[in-house]
mmCIF file of all heavy atoms in Angstrom:
data_model
loop_
_atom_site.group_PDB
_atom_site.id
_atom_site.type_symbol
_atom_site.label_atom_id
_atom_site.label_comp_id
_atom_site.label_asym_id
_atom_site.label_seq_id
_atom_site.Cartn_x
_atom_site.Cartn_y
_atom_site.Cartn_z
ATOM 1 N N VAL A 33 17.871 -12.265 -28.268
ATOM 2 C CA VAL A 33 16.821 -12.391 -27.268
ATOM 3 C C VAL A 33 15.466 -12.163 -27.927
ATOM 4 O O VAL A 33 15.278 -11.203 -28.677
ATOM 5 C CB VAL A 33 17.036 -11.417 -26.087
ATOM 6 C CG1 VAL A 33 17.137 -9.972 -26.553
ATOM 7 C CG2 VAL A 33 15.928 -11.557 -25.057
ATOM 8 N N ALA A 38 3.273 -6.917 -24.330
ATOM 9 C CA ALA A 38 2.561 -6.476 -23.131
ATOM 10 C C ALA A 38 1.789 -7.619 -22.490
ATOM 11 O O ALA A 38 1.740 -7.760 -21.258
ATOM 12 C CB ALA A 38 1.625 -5.329 -23.485
ATOM 13 N N LYS A 91 32.105 -3.430 -19.339
ATOM 14 C CA LYS A 91 32.656 -2.971 -18.063
ATOM 15 C C LYS A 91 34.015 -3.631 -17.841
ATOM 16 O O LYS A 91 34.147 -4.853 -17.988
ATOM 17 C CB LYS A 91 31.691 -3.333 -16.931
ATOM 18 C CG LYS A 91 32.002 -2.674 -15.606
ATOM 19 C CD LYS A 91 30.825 -2.781 -14.644
ATOM 20 C CE LYS A 91 29.681 -1.894 -15.085
ATOM 21 N NZ LYS A 91 28.671 -1.728 -14.016
ATOM 22 N N PRO A 92 35.061 -2.852 -17.508
ATOM 23 C CA PRO A 92 36.369 -3.461 -17.255
ATOM 24 C C PRO A 92 36.278 -4.581 -16.217
ATOM 25 O O PRO A 92 35.440 -4.543 -15.312
ATOM 26 C CB PRO A 92 37.221 -2.294 -16.751
ATOM 27 C CG PRO A 92 36.605 -1.096 -17.384
ATOM 28 C CD PRO A 92 35.122 -1.383 -17.412
ATOM 29 N N THR A 106 25.033 -8.206 -0.936
ATOM 30 C CA THR A 106 23.610 -7.988 -0.682
ATOM 31 C C THR A 106 22.972 -9.236 -0.095
ATOM 32 O O THR A 106 22.199 -9.172 0.869
ATOM 33 C CB THR A 106 22.904 -7.577 -1.986
ATOM 34 O OG1 THR A 106 23.472 -6.348 -2.455
ATOM 35 C CG2 THR A 106 21.409 -7.388 -1.782
ATOM 36 N N PHE A 149 24.407 -1.310 -14.734
ATOM 37 C CA PHE A 149 24.771 -2.254 -13.668
ATOM 38 C C PHE A 149 23.821 -3.440 -13.819
ATOM 39 O O PHE A 149 22.832 -3.551 -13.097
ATOM 40 C CB PHE A 149 24.658 -1.605 -12.289
ATOM 41 C CG PHE A 149 25.800 -0.706 -11.952
ATOM 42 C CD1 PHE A 149 25.808 0.613 -12.390
ATOM 43 C CD2 PHE A 149 26.891 -1.165 -11.233
ATOM 44 C CE1 PHE A 149 26.877 1.450 -12.101
ATOM 45 C CE2 PHE A 149 27.965 -0.334 -10.932
ATOM 46 C CZ PHE A 149 27.950 0.986 -11.377
ATOM 47 N N PRO A 150 24.100 -4.334 -14.761
ATOM 48 C CA PRO A 150 23.094 -5.314 -15.177
ATOM 49 C C PRO A 150 22.786 -6.399 -14.170
ATOM 50 O O PRO A 150 21.768 -7.078 -14.303
ATOM 51 C CB PRO A 150 23.712 -5.912 -16.445
ATOM 52 C CG PRO A 150 25.189 -5.749 -16.271
ATOM 53 C CD PRO A 150 25.354 -4.448 -15.540
ATOM 54 N N LEU A 163 13.196 -11.988 -0.095
ATOM 55 C CA LEU A 163 13.387 -12.262 1.330
ATOM 56 C C LEU A 163 12.131 -11.903 2.122
ATOM 57 O O LEU A 163 11.749 -12.623 3.059
ATOM 58 C CB LEU A 163 14.600 -11.462 1.827
ATOM 59 C CG LEU A 163 15.098 -11.585 3.263
ATOM 60 C CD1 LEU A 163 14.310 -10.776 4.250
ATOM 61 C CD2 LEU A 163 15.181 -13.036 3.708
ATOM 62 N N ASN A 166 7.749 -11.634 -1.195
ATOM 63 C CA ASN A 166 7.082 -11.211 -2.421
ATOM 64 C C ASN A 166 7.456 -12.119 -3.583
ATOM 65 O O ASN A 166 8.508 -12.765 -3.564
ATOM 66 C CB ASN A 166 7.490 -9.776 -2.775
ATOM 67 C CG ASN A 166 7.187 -8.807 -1.657
ATOM 68 O OD1 ASN A 166 6.045 -8.432 -1.449
ATOM 69 N ND2 ASN A 166 8.226 -8.409 -0.918
ATOM 70 N N ALA A 173 17.185 -4.793 -19.035
ATOM 71 C CA ALA A 173 17.468 -4.101 -20.287
ATOM 72 C C ALA A 173 17.738 -5.116 -21.389
ATOM 73 O O ALA A 173 18.441 -6.111 -21.174
ATOM 74 C CB ALA A 173 18.672 -3.180 -20.103
ATOM 75 N N HIS A 189 18.515 -21.813 -9.522
ATOM 76 C CA HIS A 189 19.196 -22.985 -8.977
ATOM 77 C C HIS A 189 19.428 -22.889 -7.464
ATOM 78 O O HIS A 189 19.951 -23.825 -6.855
ATOM 79 C CB HIS A 189 20.520 -23.225 -9.707
ATOM 80 C CG HIS A 189 20.319 -23.833 -11.065
ATOM 81 N ND1 HIS A 189 20.016 -23.075 -12.184
ATOM 82 C CD2 HIS A 189 20.345 -25.119 -11.487
ATOM 83 C CE1 HIS A 189 19.879 -23.869 -13.229
ATOM 84 N NE2 HIS A 189 20.067 -25.114 -12.837
ATOM 85 N N PRO A 193 10.882 -21.526 -5.837
ATOM 86 C CA PRO A 193 9.769 -22.210 -6.519
ATOM 87 C C PRO A 193 9.423 -21.518 -7.837
ATOM 88 O O PRO A 193 9.643 -20.308 -8.001
ATOM 89 C CB PRO A 193 8.612 -22.085 -5.514
ATOM 90 C CG PRO A 193 9.253 -21.792 -4.194
ATOM 91 C CD PRO A 193 10.494 -21.021 -4.510
ATOM 92 N N VAL A 196 8.015 -17.608 -8.608
ATOM 93 C CA VAL A 196 8.402 -16.612 -7.599
ATOM 94 C C VAL A 196 9.307 -15.538 -8.213
ATOM 95 O O VAL A 196 9.256 -14.383 -7.824
ATOM 96 C CB VAL A 196 9.072 -17.304 -6.400
ATOM 97 C CG1 VAL A 196 9.665 -16.293 -5.430
ATOM 98 C CG2 VAL A 196 8.047 -18.171 -5.678
ATOM 99 N N LEU A 197 10.130 -15.920 -9.201
ATOM 100 C CA LEU A 197 10.912 -14.958 -9.963
ATOM 101 C C LEU A 197 10.673 -15.216 -11.445
ATOM 102 O O LEU A 197 10.964 -16.312 -11.945
ATOM 103 C CB LEU A 197 12.401 -15.066 -9.637
ATOM 104 C CG LEU A 197 13.336 -14.165 -10.464
ATOM 105 C CD1 LEU A 197 12.982 -12.697 -10.275
ATOM 106 C CD2 LEU A 197 14.788 -14.417 -10.109
ATOM 107 N N CYS A 239 1.675 4.773 -11.577
ATOM 108 C CA CYS A 239 1.451 4.144 -10.273
ATOM 109 C C CYS A 239 0.534 5.001 -9.397
ATOM 110 O O CYS A 239 -0.299 4.465 -8.644
ATOM 111 C CB CYS A 239 2.782 3.910 -9.567
ATOM 112 S SG CYS A 239 3.803 2.634 -10.327
ATOM 113 N N PRO A 255 27.453 16.638 -8.064
ATOM 114 C CA PRO A 255 28.509 17.634 -7.883
ATOM 115 C C PRO A 255 29.623 17.149 -6.962
ATOM 116 O O PRO A 255 29.393 16.363 -6.038
ATOM 117 C CB PRO A 255 27.763 18.809 -7.246
ATOM 118 C CG PRO A 255 26.698 18.143 -6.416
ATOM 119 C CD PRO A 255 26.298 16.901 -7.184
ATOM 120 N N ASP A 304 43.621 17.093 -15.925
ATOM 121 C CA ASP A 304 43.963 16.915 -17.337
ATOM 122 C C ASP A 304 45.145 15.955 -17.485
ATOM 123 O O ASP A 304 45.123 15.030 -18.310
ATOM 124 C CB ASP A 304 44.302 18.272 -17.955
ATOM 125 C CG ASP A 304 44.779 18.149 -19.396
ATOM 126 O OD1 ASP A 304 44.056 17.574 -20.226
ATOM 127 O OD2 ASP A 304 45.889 18.636 -19.694
ATOM 128 N N VAL A 336 25.396 14.969 -26.372
ATOM 129 C CA VAL A 336 25.997 15.682 -25.237
ATOM 130 C C VAL A 336 27.238 16.459 -25.684
ATOM 131 O O VAL A 336 27.449 17.612 -25.265
ATOM 132 C CB VAL A 336 26.350 14.685 -24.116
ATOM 133 C CG1 VAL A 336 27.249 15.335 -23.064
ATOM 134 C CG2 VAL A 336 25.072 14.146 -23.471
ATOM 135 N N ILE A 340 29.006 21.279 -25.880
ATOM 136 C CA ILE A 340 30.243 22.029 -25.651
ATOM 137 C C ILE A 340 30.210 23.279 -26.520
ATOM 138 O O ILE A 340 30.014 23.206 -27.738
ATOM 139 C CB ILE A 340 31.479 21.175 -25.980
ATOM 140 C CG1 ILE A 340 31.510 19.913 -25.101
ATOM 141 C CG2 ILE A 340 32.755 21.980 -25.788
ATOM 142 C CD1 ILE A 340 32.596 18.929 -25.465
ATOM 143 N N GLY A 348 41.772 16.835 -21.515
ATOM 144 C CA GLY A 348 41.616 15.430 -21.190
ATOM 145 C C GLY A 348 42.103 14.425 -22.203
ATOM 146 O O GLY A 348 42.382 13.289 -21.849
ATOM 147 N N ALA A 393 24.755 13.630 -18.359
ATOM 148 C CA ALA A 393 25.459 13.395 -19.622
ATOM 149 C C ALA A 393 25.538 11.921 -19.985
ATOM 150 O O ALA A 393 25.448 11.553 -21.147
ATOM 151 C CB ALA A 393 26.866 13.978 -19.557
ATOM 152 N N ALA A 430 33.883 21.854 9.734
ATOM 153 C CA ALA A 430 32.784 22.819 9.663
ATOM 154 C C ALA A 430 32.243 22.901 8.238
ATOM 155 O O ALA A 430 31.022 22.977 8.025
ATOM 156 C CB ALA A 430 33.260 24.191 10.137
ATOM 157 N N ILE A 439 23.038 20.483 1.170
ATOM 158 C CA ILE A 439 23.025 19.838 -0.142
ATOM 159 C C ILE A 439 21.751 19.007 -0.282
ATOM 160 O O ILE A 439 21.261 18.423 0.688
ATOM 161 C CB ILE A 439 24.284 18.957 -0.345
ATOM 162 C CG1 ILE A 439 24.474 18.600 -1.825
ATOM 163 C CG2 ILE A 439 24.223 17.706 0.507
ATOM 164 C CD1 ILE A 439 24.832 19.750 -2.699
ATOM 165 N N ASN A 462 16.810 12.309 -4.298
ATOM 166 C CA ASN A 462 15.683 13.212 -4.148
ATOM 167 C C ASN A 462 15.544 14.043 -5.426
ATOM 168 O O ASN A 462 16.395 13.992 -6.310
ATOM 169 C CB ASN A 462 15.905 14.132 -2.940
ATOM 170 C CG ASN A 462 16.327 13.368 -1.702
ATOM 171 O OD1 ASN A 462 15.709 12.379 -1.341
ATOM 172 N ND2 ASN A 462 17.394 13.815 -1.056
ATOM 173 N N SER A 469 12.533 7.206 -2.122
ATOM 174 C CA SER A 469 12.655 5.808 -1.714
ATOM 175 C C SER A 469 14.132 5.449 -1.585
ATOM 176 O O SER A 469 14.995 6.090 -2.182
ATOM 177 C CB SER A 469 11.979 4.904 -2.750
ATOM 178 O OG SER A 469 12.522 5.118 -4.036
ATOM 179 N N TRP A 483 3.381 -2.368 6.955
ATOM 180 C CA TRP A 483 3.141 -2.569 8.381
ATOM 181 C C TRP A 483 1.669 -2.889 8.626
ATOM 182 O O TRP A 483 0.775 -2.248 8.079
ATOM 183 C CB TRP A 483 3.518 -1.315 9.168
ATOM 184 C CG TRP A 483 4.992 -1.151 9.343
ATOM 185 C CD1 TRP A 483 5.806 -0.247 8.728
ATOM 186 C CD2 TRP A 483 5.837 -1.923 10.202
ATOM 187 N NE1 TRP A 483 7.105 -0.410 9.139
ATOM 188 C CE2 TRP A 483 7.154 -1.424 10.047
ATOM 189 C CE3 TRP A 483 5.616 -2.986 11.067
ATOM 190 C CZ2 TRP A 483 8.230 -1.956 10.744
ATOM 191 C CZ3 TRP A 483 6.685 -3.521 11.760
ATOM 192 C CH2 TRP A 483 7.984 -3.000 11.600
ATOM 193 N N GLN A 498 -9.180 6.277 23.816
ATOM 194 C CA GLN A 498 -9.356 7.700 24.065
ATOM 195 C C GLN A 498 -10.589 8.051 24.915
ATOM 196 O O GLN A 498 -10.779 9.200 25.291
ATOM 197 C CB GLN A 498 -9.437 8.532 22.757
ATOM 198 C CG GLN A 498 -8.159 8.578 21.941
ATOM 199 C CD GLN A 498 -8.072 7.441 20.959
ATOM 200 O OE1 GLN A 498 -9.036 7.149 20.251
ATOM 201 N NE2 GLN A 498 -6.915 6.794 20.905
#
Side-chain angles (χ1 to χ4, degrees):
V33 56
K91 192 165 289 194
T106 299
F149 282 84
L163 183 280
N166 303 284
H189 284 83
V196 172
L197 176 60
C239 290
D304 175 56
V336 167
I340 300 173
I439 196 68
N462 312 311
S469 56
W483 283 108
Q498 293 89 46

